[in-house]
Amino acid sequence: MANEKDLFQIKHNDLRPQKGRILISEPFMQDIFFRRAVILLVDHSSKGSMGFILNKRTGLHVNDFFPEFGDLPKIPIYFGGPVVANHLFFLHLLGDIIIPESISINKNLCFDGRFDAIKQYILDGNKAEGNVKFFLGYSGWEENQLNSEIISNSWLVAQTKSEYMIQANDDTFWADSLKRLGSPYNAWANYPLFPQLN
């Protein structure tokens, strides 16, 4: 008879990791960084992978570090991952024309670019919410490491809209990402974070 962990374990699917796809952590993952995490891959190759955790707010704001943003609406900073956790990165939907030197992830979503351009965009009164997302640090995997973790069912690979990635802000995004995939993922989405407390 299958035990509870077998029933609720995310099973490896046939969707391969690639730039622009997301990784959804399996329900039993208790790693302090990746528990209930959804990660956007911004790079994936035979040499390794890089991504940002989309749904872990830090409690910090961009305004805390740039006095010129002082009177603007608060812009949250997310925890992108444990690698280079003192460096500020950003995702945006603004394209290379508005933010030069941006790296394209898909037809709508870009990674980084000239920081002076993103600052000026915000200072000019343009809304950051829904267009730009800031991160401290990133998540990284060495050669073949991510593929091994996927095969061992630590991650489910999926696709979602760029707008959802920018708007993600808490653990509900993990459950919502699973529910969008339909059955049997609904059961996994409803699995409690700490089942021993139920």
Side-chain angles (χ1 to χ4, degrees), residues 81-143:
V83 184
V84 197
N86 61 348
H87 184 88
L88 193 64
F89 300 91
F90 60 97
L91 296 173
H92 61 88
L93 300 172
L94 305 174
D96 188 66
I97 294 175
I98 296 175
I99 310 298
E101 301 174 23
S102 297
I103 300 167
S104 177
I105 297 170
N106 60 36
K107 66 178 183 178
N108 298 314
L109 192 62
C110 294
F111 157 52
D112 272 6
R114 283 178 40 191
F115 200 81
D116 62 328
I118 197 70
K119 281 180 65 178
Q120 194 58 54
Y121 172 84
I122 295 169
L123 289 170
D124 285 345
N126 296 296
K127 189 173 71 168
E129 183 181 0
N131 292 310
V132 186
K133 192 167 192 170
F134 291 89
F135 301 87
L136 280 174
Y138 69 89
S139 301
W141 292 265
E142 297 178 351
E143 181 179 0

Side-chain angles (χ1 to χ4, degrees), residues 40-75:
L40 167 67
L41 287 174
V42 298
D43 189 31
H44 177 73
S45 71
S46 59
K47 297 179 180 178
S49 306
M50 176 184 182
F52 295 102
I53 302 172
L54 296 169
N55 59 324
K56 305 283 184 180
R57 288 181 71 151
T58 64
L60 300 172
H61 297 87
V62 177
N63 315 57
D64 300 332
F65 301 96
F66 298 97
E68 58 267 45
F69 287 4
D71 295 329
L72 298 175
K74 294 289 186 183
I75 304 169

